[in-house]
């Protein structure tokens, strides 16, 4: 059995874990000192050698992304730390932000130096994280006071500072180009790509967008070396990983493991199985955007590649567990309702399609479904997937397609019996008002 590790979470149980004194006592900012004695290109090579893949959702190799940034554009280079964390079921970045903010701030200064960033980086934090934003502001002030931010950092000649920018509660502002638009003061509407942010990003300048956990990993790579980082996990799925487990489990929470941890083992052995004792009915392994897995599909390691091979995605590593009491139609409906609400509305397939899927799912869940609805949902999904400007459209159809394909009988039961399945929490005549039961 894979045992939990404490690397990204090593400081979180320390008293006053967010303070710079605690961070310095546990060896903090030594990695920055080391990084500033190296050449930026050496740091990029180091991150490439670590095989670090982005923790924001897509699992894109971080060193490669950094390598795309042109150094001769004549414009400043920007680093944006994506702290929007709005993917349903995801709450790992929040732990770092609130409990160990210096781990990410140190990683930001190192990353900014490595990509040749100008004098300012930004943390784009979701509006709801009011406490997190406060913690970050305090930590940044501490870092400035100690000379880790500002002019001529640690005598290296490198000038840099970090600004916290609070979002206003839109999921789409987590998408990197929606985030960039929002940071520029515009509506958070994703841009057409290419050009990619590495070439034309915020303020028209080359930009790297990285997730909080990715940036925290950079600190560890510089501190302990790429070989150490690669020794955790397996090839191309390296380093410590935070998993957010929620839903019908006995012990929900943020867990840290190498990516060799098995999904079933994580749920059953580490999280205590289902709180109800009922069998597992379904698992969403990577946040609301990830296709649903059935119990016979969860005996897999939680690597980017293995989860993809199983037909889903690791995404933001938000594992949502449903026991037999869950209604899959309700689950899919609620997720699609979220995506329909959060669609920015720029492109027709996503804007109209998500709303139509929500309507059809709602009528199924309220006992007014039609025999053809399951196929209609698949047809709608087909008209959204790959036909929208950003990945939100593709995200919205993940639960729909997997839900219909893997639980078709449950969808049909709703039509034929005007009811959820017996044994599910919502079992009742769905076409009758709630009070009539
Ligand atoms: C709709 C949507 C929402 C997203 N939300 C987030 C988010 O909250 N946090 C995040 O880090 N990445 C999010 N992403 C992924 C970002 O676009 C981007 O890929 C990521 O921040 C890159 O960081 P990484 O390379 O370190 O993973 C989202 C993507 C989409 C399509
Ligand atoms: S896919 Fe949806 S969220 Fe993305 S740009 Fe189009 S309308 Fe906006």
């Amino acid at each position: 059995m894979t045992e939990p590790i404490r690397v990204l979470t090593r400081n979180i149980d320390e008293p006053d874990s967010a303070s710079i004194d605690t961070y310095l006592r546990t060896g903090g900012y030594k990695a920055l000192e080391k990084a500033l004695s190296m050449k930026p290109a050496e740091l990029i090579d180091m991150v490439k050698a670590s095989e670090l893949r982005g923790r924001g959702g897509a699992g894109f190799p971080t060193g490669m992304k950094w390598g795309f940034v042109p150094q001769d554009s004549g414009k400043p280079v920007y680093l944006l730390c994506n702290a929007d964390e709005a993917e349903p079921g995801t709450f790992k970045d929040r732990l770092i932000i609130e409990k160990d903010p210096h781990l990410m701030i140190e990683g930001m200064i190192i990353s900014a130096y490595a990509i040749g960033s100008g004098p300012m980086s930004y943390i784009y934090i979701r509006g709801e994280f009011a406490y997190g934003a406060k913690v970050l502001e305090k930590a940044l002030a501490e870092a400035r006071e100690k000379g880790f931010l500002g002019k001529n950092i640690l005598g290296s000649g490198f000038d840099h500072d970090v600004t916290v920018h609070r979002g206003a509660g839109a999921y789409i502002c987590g998408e990197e180009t929606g985030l960039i638009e929002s940071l520029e003061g515009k509506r958070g509407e994703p841009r057409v790509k290419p050009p990619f942010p590495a070439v034309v990003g915020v303020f028209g300048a080359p930009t790297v967008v990285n997730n909080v956990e990715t940036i925290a990993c950079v600190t560890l790579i510089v501190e302990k070396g790429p070989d150490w980082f690669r020794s955790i996990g397996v090839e191309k799925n390296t380093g410590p990983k935070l998993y957010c487990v929620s839903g019908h489990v006995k012990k929900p929470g943020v867990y840290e493991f190498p990516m060799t941890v098995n999904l079933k083992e994580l749920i059953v052995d580490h999280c205590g199985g289902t709180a109800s004792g009922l069998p597992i009915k379904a698992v969403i392994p990577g946040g609301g955007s990830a296709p649903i897995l059935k119990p016979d599909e969860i005996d897999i390691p939680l690597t980017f590649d293995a989860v993809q091979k199983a037909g889903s995605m690791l995404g933001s590593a938000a594992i949502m567990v449903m026991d037999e009491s869950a209604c899959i139609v309700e689950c899919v409906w609620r997720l699609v309702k979220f995506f329909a609400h959060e669609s920015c509305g720029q492109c027709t397939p996503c804007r109209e399609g998500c709303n139509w899927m929500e309507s059809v799912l709602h009528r199924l869940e309220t006992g007014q479904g039609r025999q053809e609805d399951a196929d209609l949902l698949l047809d709608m999904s087909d008209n959204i997937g790959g036909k929208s400007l950003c990945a939100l459209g593709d995200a919205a159809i993940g639960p729909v397609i997997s839900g219909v394909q893997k639980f078709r009988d449950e969808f049909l039961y709703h039509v034929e019996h005007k009811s959820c399945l017996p044994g599910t929490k919502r079992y009742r005549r769905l076409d009758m008002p709630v009070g009539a039961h």
Side-chain angles (χ1 to χ4, degrees), residues 289-363:
S289 311
I292 303 167
L293 296 176
K294 290 187 88 167
D296 62 354
E297 296 172 310
I298 63 169
D299 195 1
I300 49 169
L302 277 170
T303 61
F304 290 105
D305 301 332
V307 181
Q308 190 179 14
K309 199 165 157 216
S312 188
M313 60 179 197
L314 186 61
S316 57
I319 295 154
M320 296 185 273
V321 180
M322 285 166 266
D323 69 18
E324 289 284 355
S325 72
C327 170
I328 295 296
V329 177
E330 185 202 4
C331 159
V332 175
W333 166 52
R334 288 193 184 280
L335 284 168
V336 170
K337 198 171 173 190
F338 169 81
F339 290 119
H341 183 259
E342 297 298 332
S343 165
C344 82
Q346 269 193 107
C347 35
T348 314
C350 171
R351 182 188 65 238
E352 301 299 324
C354 289
N355 276 317
W356 276 110
M357 288 198 302
E358 193 276 328
S359 299
V360 172
L361 285 157
H362 183 252
R363 82 178 175 217

Side-chain angles (χ1 to χ4, degrees), residues 405-421:
Q405 284 178 345
K406 295 179 186 180
F407 296 89
R408 183 178 274 269
D409 288 352
E410 193 164 341
F411 280 74
L412 294 181
Y413 191 96
H414 279 71
V415 178
E416 282 158 16
H417 298 265
K418 301 194 181 310
S419 156
C420 298
L421 277 181

Side-chain angles (χ1 to χ4, degrees), residues 126-150:
R126 65 180 292 180
E128 294 90 335
F129 284 179
Y131 175 67
K134 245 189 213 165
V135 174
L136 285 173
E137 292 285 14
K138 181 167 178 277
L140 288 169
E142 288 174 331
R144 277 181 209 115
E145 206 194 322
K146 298 273 184 202
F148 299 127
L149 280 172

Side-chain angles (χ1 to χ4, degrees), residues 37-55:
S37 72
M38 294 168 65
K39 293 199 174 78
E42 288 171 345
L43 282 167
I44 296 180
D45 286 344
M46 199 181 215
V47 172
K48 278 184 182 162
S50 75
E51 295 182 2
L52 169 64
R53 290 172 68 172
R55 292 350 192 192

